[in-house]
Amino acid sequence: MAKTQMKSYSLAEMKDKYIGKKGTKEREQYEYELRMDVLGRMIKQARQERNLTQEQLGELVGVQKAQISKLESSANSATIDTIIRVFKALKADIHFNVTIENRQLELH
Protein backbone atom coordinates (compact mmCIF):
# COMPACT_ATOMS: atom_id res chain seq x y z
CA MET A 1 0.00 0.00 0.00
CA ALA A 2 1.33 3.40 -0.95
CA LYS A 3 1.38 6.18 1.60
CA THR A 4 -0.42 9.34 0.60
CA GLN A 5 1.59 12.51 1.15
CA MET A 6 -0.50 15.19 2.83
CA LYS A 7 0.31 18.81 2.18
CA SER A 8 0.70 20.89 5.31
CA TYR A 9 -0.16 24.54 5.58
CA SER A 10 1.20 27.20 7.89
CA LEU A 11 -1.12 29.18 10.13
CA ALA A 12 -0.41 32.27 8.02
CA GLU A 13 -1.44 30.41 4.86
CA MET A 14 -4.65 29.22 6.51
CA LYS A 15 -5.48 32.75 7.70
CA ASP A 16 -4.83 34.12 4.20
CA LYS A 17 -7.09 31.49 2.63
CA TYR A 18 -9.99 31.41 5.10
CA ILE A 19 -9.98 34.85 6.74
CA GLY A 20 -8.37 37.09 4.16
CA LYS A 21 -4.96 38.44 3.28
CA LYS A 22 -3.23 40.99 5.54
CA GLY A 23 -4.60 44.47 4.95
CA THR A 24 -8.11 43.31 4.05
CA LYS A 25 -11.04 44.47 6.16
CA GLU A 26 -11.86 40.89 7.22
CA ARG A 27 -8.30 40.14 8.33
CA GLU A 28 -7.98 43.43 10.23
CA GLN A 29 -11.25 42.69 12.08
CA TYR A 30 -10.07 39.17 12.92
CA GLU A 31 -6.72 40.43 14.25
CA TYR A 32 -8.45 43.14 16.31
CA GLU A 33 -10.87 40.67 17.88
CA LEU A 34 -8.03 38.28 18.64
CA ARG A 35 -6.09 41.04 20.43
CA MET A 36 -9.18 42.02 22.43
CA ASP A 37 -9.73 38.39 23.44
CA VAL A 38 -6.14 38.10 24.64
CA LEU A 39 -6.46 41.40 26.55
CA GLY A 40 -9.59 40.10 28.28
CA ARG A 41 -7.79 36.92 29.32
CA MET A 42 -4.86 38.98 30.65
CA ILE A 43 -7.25 41.00 32.81
CA LYS A 44 -8.85 37.82 34.16
CA GLN A 45 -5.49 36.24 34.93
CA ALA A 46 -4.23 39.37 36.72
CA ARG A 47 -7.47 39.57 38.74
CA GLN A 48 -7.20 35.94 39.78
CA GLU A 49 -3.53 36.35 40.74
CA ARG A 50 -4.60 39.21 43.04
CA ASN A 51 -7.28 36.92 44.54
CA LEU A 52 -10.05 39.36 43.63
CA THR A 53 -13.58 38.50 42.57
CA GLN A 54 -15.11 40.26 39.59
CA GLU A 55 -17.30 42.15 42.04
CA GLN A 56 -14.29 43.31 44.10
CA LEU A 57 -12.43 44.47 40.99
CA GLY A 58 -15.56 46.25 39.80
CA GLU A 59 -15.73 48.14 43.10
CA LEU A 60 -12.07 49.19 42.78
CA VAL A 61 -12.66 50.43 39.24
CA GLY A 62 -16.11 51.91 39.84
CA VAL A 63 -18.06 49.61 37.52
CA GLN A 64 -20.53 46.77 37.94
CA LYS A 65 -19.46 43.11 38.19
CA ALA A 66 -21.22 42.49 34.85
CA GLN A 67 -18.88 44.94 33.11
CA ILE A 68 -15.81 43.14 34.49
CA SER A 69 -17.26 39.82 33.32
CA LYS A 70 -17.92 41.23 29.86
CA LEU A 71 -14.44 42.75 29.74
CA GLU A 72 -12.81 39.44 30.65
CA SER A 73 -14.72 37.52 28.00
CA SER A 74 -13.83 40.07 25.32
CA ALA A 75 -12.49 43.59 25.70
CA ASN A 76 -14.21 44.67 22.44
CA SER A 77 -16.78 46.89 24.10
CA ALA A 78 -14.47 48.54 26.64
CA THR A 79 -13.05 52.01 26.35
CA ILE A 80 -9.31 52.48 26.70
CA ASP A 81 -10.03 54.51 29.84
CA THR A 82 -11.82 51.55 31.46
CA ILE A 83 -9.03 49.17 30.50
CA ILE A 84 -6.41 51.50 31.99
CA ARG A 85 -8.46 51.89 35.20
CA VAL A 86 -8.75 48.10 35.49
CA PHE A 87 -5.01 47.55 35.13
CA LYS A 88 -4.29 50.36 37.60
CA ALA A 89 -6.67 48.75 40.11
CA LEU A 90 -4.77 45.49 39.58
CA LYS A 91 -1.49 47.36 40.17
CA ALA A 92 -0.27 46.19 36.76
CA ASP A 93 2.20 48.00 34.52
CA ILE A 94 0.82 48.92 31.11
CA HIS A 95 2.97 49.29 28.01
CA PHE A 96 1.63 50.43 24.63
CA ASN A 97 3.40 49.93 21.32
CA VAL A 98 2.40 52.23 18.50
CA THR A 99 3.77 51.82 15.00
CA ILE A 100 3.24 54.47 12.33
CA GLU A 101 4.56 53.88 8.85
CA ASN A 102 6.83 51.08 10.07
CA ARG A 103 8.33 53.31 12.79
CA GLN A 104 7.93 52.37 16.44
CA LEU A 105 6.83 55.28 18.63
CA GLU A 106 7.98 55.44 22.21
CA LEU A 107 6.14 57.22 24.97
CA HIS A 108 8.36 58.74 27.63
Side-chain angles (χ1 to χ4, degrees):
M1 292 176 65
K3 288 186 179 180
T4 307
Q5 186 74 20
M6 289 181 53
K7 179 165 176 25
S8 62
Y9 296 92
S10 70
L11 179 58
E13 290 172 320
M14 296 301 288
K15 285 181 185 179
D16 286 350
K17 182 175 181 178
Y18 293 103
I19 299 167
K21 296 213 181 275
K22 279 191 173 199
T24 63
K25 183 179 177 183
E26 294 82 8
R27 181 69 171 265
E28 293 297 320
Q29 183 65 30
Y30 167 81
E31 298 290 345
Y32 173 79
E33 289 173 6
L34 182 61
R35 286 188 300 268
M36 293 300 104
D37 182 56
V38 169
L39 183 60
R41 284 191 265 148
M42 289 170 66
I43 290 168
K44 182 176 183 176
Q45 182 178 351
R47 175 185 60 79
Q48 290 173 334
E49 286 179 8
R50 300 283 189 270
N51 295 315
L52 294 171
T53 65
Q54 289 178 338
E55 188 170 352
Q56 290 169 326
L57 179 56
E59 288 172 8
L60 289 171
V61 176
V63 299
Q64 298 292 316
K65 172 189 180 275
Q67 189 169 350
I68 298 298
S69 176
K70 192 174 179 182
L71 183 62
E72 288 181 355
S73 64
S74 175
N76 278 351
S77 61
T79 65
I80 192 71
D81 181 57
T82 300
I83 293 169
I84 290 171
R85 288 190 353 244
V86 165
F87 280 119
K88 282 186 179 180
L90 292 168
K91 296 179 173 62
D93 289 331
I94 307 166
H95 302 276
F96 290 99
N97 293 318
V98 178
T99 304
I100 297 177
E101 297 178 358
N102 297 322
R103 285 188 8 249
Q104 188 83 17
L105 299 181
E106 294 182 28
L107 299 177
H108 300 282

